[in-house]
Amino acid sequence: MLRAIADVLRQIGGALATVVTLPFRALARLFGGASHSTRRTGRARRI
């Protein structure tokens, strides 16, 4: 019984961690991609 409760709490914690980190991952991808593309094309802030 306690093991089942612990598994449910672990799954909820994993889901919460995913939801919390998603915006930060998106921002990192956005800024990482932007810096990578400006480095490649040589355009600073044209968009």
Side-chain angles (χ1 to χ4, degrees):
M1 178 73 180
L2 289 177
R3 185 170 290 168
I5 294 172
D7 287 340
V8 169
L9 289 176
R10 194 174 299 123
Q11 288 178 349
I12 292 172
L16 278 175
T18 302
V19 169
V20 168
T21 56
L22 272 177
F24 297 106
R25 288 183 190 177
L27 284 175
R29 183 174 294 171
L30 180 68
F31 287 116
S35 67
H36 183 66
S37 65
T38 56
R39 205 177 313 135
R40 185 177 44 198
T41 60
R43 297 183 194 174
R45 294 183 188 188
R46 201 128 192 224
I47 298 174

